[in-house]
Amino acid sequence: RRTVGLDYESVESGKSSRDVDPYALVFKRHSWYLLGFCHYRQETRTFRLNRIKKVTLTDRNFERKSDFSVEEFFRDSWEIYQGKLIEVKLRFFGKAVKVIESGPHHPSETVTKEKDGSLLYTIKVKGMEEISRWILGFGEMVEVLEPVDFRENIKDTIQKMQKLYSD
């Protein structure tokens, strides 16, 4: 129940110092994360432990919000990341159909088998980064149908990959 000072190195924003009210430690996707209220961002955030370069104990106490829940915090995330809640619609083909049919991948998913054997897959998820990586892992066996801006983002990534491999 003590606020800590963190020297943190984010992949996106680089090095920073911030005060955090630590709420929980969680292990997700091969790594440990600190969940806590970040005074700099004024919201609950995740901090990957191996990116914390220094921890300083402050003299300030805090009370964790009584309604905070780790499960609720991650409820709409693909895995860890947070962001704007979006509804994604995908069409899976070929071998990917069996992968998707093999079991649930997210609590919010709906899966519909089409007459041609493909699957329509709909999910509501926070943020695009993690689900983008998952989608790209299926290569030519998946198509992003909606939202349009997400489809364009995936298309841009594929074009950059094509340029990288065209030499």
Side-chain angles (χ1 to χ4, degrees):
R1 307 255 188 250
R2 198 74 134 340
T3 300
V4 294
L6 298 182
D7 287 350
Y8 189 72
E9 191 163 349
S10 167
V11 172
E12 290 189 24
S13 57
K15 294 179 183 178
S16 66
S17 295
R18 54 188 71 206
D19 288 344
V20 175
D21 299 339
Y23 288 174
L25 288 174
V26 295
F27 188 80
K28 283 191 162 282
R29 193 71 177 153
H30 315 296
S31 295
W32 283 96
Y33 291 85
L34 168 69
L35 270 70
F37 181 80
C38 175
H39 291 263
Y40 178 70
R41 297 284 186 196
Q42 289 295 300
E43 64 184 3
T44 303
R45 304 284 294 237
T46 57
F47 301 91
R48 189 169 164 157
L49 288 191
N50 68 341
R51 294 188 188 134
I52 297 173
K53 302 306 176 189
K54 183 178 176 185
V55 178
T56 309
L57 194 60
T58 73
D59 58 358
R60 294 187 317 275
N61 293 327
F62 71 93
E63 285 296 321
R64 187 171 82 176
K65 296 176 184 178
S66 60
D67 63 345
F68 177 79
S69 157
V70 172
E71 293 79 16
E72 187 64 25
F73 181 79
F74 288 115
R75 183 172 55 93
D76 293 320
S77 297
W78 181 252
E79 289 179 2
I80 298 154
Y81 291 7
Q82 302 294 299
K84 180 183 170 188
L85 186 66
I86 59 169
E87 184 174 83
V88 177
K89 293 184 181 179
L90 308 170
R91 182 182 311 277
F92 286 95
F93 309 92
K95 294 177 187 176
V97 169
K98 288 186 180 186
V99 173
I100 300 305
E101 288 180 324
S102 69
H105 302 278
H106 193 271
S108 74
E109 73 184 28
T110 59
V111 181
T112 307
K113 186 107 176 190
E114 296 290 283
K115 290 178 182 177
D116 64 1
S118 67
L119 292 180
L120 288 180
Y121 183 90
T122 303
I123 182 173
K124 289 183 181 174
V125 66
K126 285 183 183 173
M128 296 189 303
E129 187 173 341
E130 287 176 321
I131 195 167
S132 294
R133 293 180 194 151
W134 182 71
I135 290 166
L136 289 166
F138 284 99
E140 75 283 358
M141 296 178 289
V142 64
E143 178 185 9
V144 176
L145 303 173
E146 295 178 18
V148 174
D149 60 334
F150 185 53
R151 179 182 169 94
E152 290 300 314
N153 181 278
I154 294 290
K155 183 178 172 183
D156 289 346
T157 300
I158 293 167
Q159 288 171 343
K160 289 175 184 172
M161 291 172 68
Q162 184 178 15
K163 184 177 179 182
L164 180 68
Y165 285 95
S166 66
D167 295 341

